[in-house]
Amino acid sequence: MADNISDEIYVLEKVTSGAYEMVDSFPVSAMLGMVPSIGDQLTLDLYDDYEGDGIAVAKVVGRHFVRYIMERTGDECFAWFLLVETIEPDEAVDLADAFGKVFRQEFRDLLWTSKPSPPIHDPVPSPNLRKSKRISYKMKDPAYWTPERKEAMRKKREARLARMGDASRPGKTD
């Protein structure tokens, strides 16, 4: 029999169907070995260079230490589960700004040494190339692929495939 204790705290939230869904998890070590209690609030502060700080706040409404046993094998494991519900604090914008300011000032070395964000590029102007090269260059630009263009190309492809199918039928003469 193997005893396993999970180092993760799993966060569950009730969805519109009434079922619970796992929305997050984090290591117990991130909480210095402590598990949030009922009434505590878990806050996610998400920072974007263009939008600034935004937060999501969830209030802990239940916590369970679960012992899970597989009857067939006798194996068991243990884990903490938090039940949360999303709340919208009145001061959400002010909290987001305050949390973000502290993190960017106090944790600057930690935050900037992790993986850098992928760069966001503006569309690149077409180079001065002959027409066939210009078309293939344009096709690499995501802005080129509008829903209307995709639909028009799909219709052209289907028509071309239909013509190819008609031409390949036996007994067809030109």
Side-chain angles (χ1 to χ4, degrees), residues 91-145:
E91 65 277 355
V93 173
D94 295 334
L95 282 174
D97 291 341
F99 292 158
K101 184 177 180 181
V102 170
F103 272 94
R104 285 188 299 281
Q105 288 175 353
E106 300 298 321
F107 297 94
R108 177 180 25 237
D109 297 333
L110 176 68
L111 294 172
W112 274 236
T113 59
S114 61
K115 185 173 86 174
S117 303
I120 298 174
H121 301 288
D122 291 327
V124 180
S126 300
N128 189 13
L129 302 171
R130 64 181 198 273
K131 187 173 181 177
S132 64
K133 290 288 185 182
R134 268 185 280 151
I135 291 171
S136 67
Y137 185 80
K138 254 191 197 175
M139 292 173 136
K140 292 178 184 175
D141 183 6
Y144 177 81
W145 295 102

Side-chain angles (χ1 to χ4, degrees), residues 47-89:
Y47 178 75
D48 179 278
D49 288 334
Y50 298 100
E51 300 291 325
D53 285 289
I55 63 171
V57 180
K59 186 173 188 170
V60 177
V61 295
R63 69 185 216 160
H64 297 267
F65 186 68
V66 178
R67 178 183 182 193
Y68 185 82
I69 301 173
M70 294 283 293
E71 284 189 15
R72 184 177 49 81
T73 62
D75 290 339
E76 60 184 356
C77 55
F78 301 87
W80 277 104
F81 288 84
L82 297 179
L83 307 179
V84 300
E85 58 185 39
T86 301
I87 61 171
E88 296 287 333

Side-chain angles (χ1 to χ4, degrees), residues 151-164:
E151 181 63 19
M153 292 182 85
R154 185 187 63 78
K155 287 179 180 177
K156 287 180 186 177
R157 184 182 69 241
E158 287 176 357
R160 187 173 59 246
L161 291 172
R163 283 193 312 272
M164 288 170 53

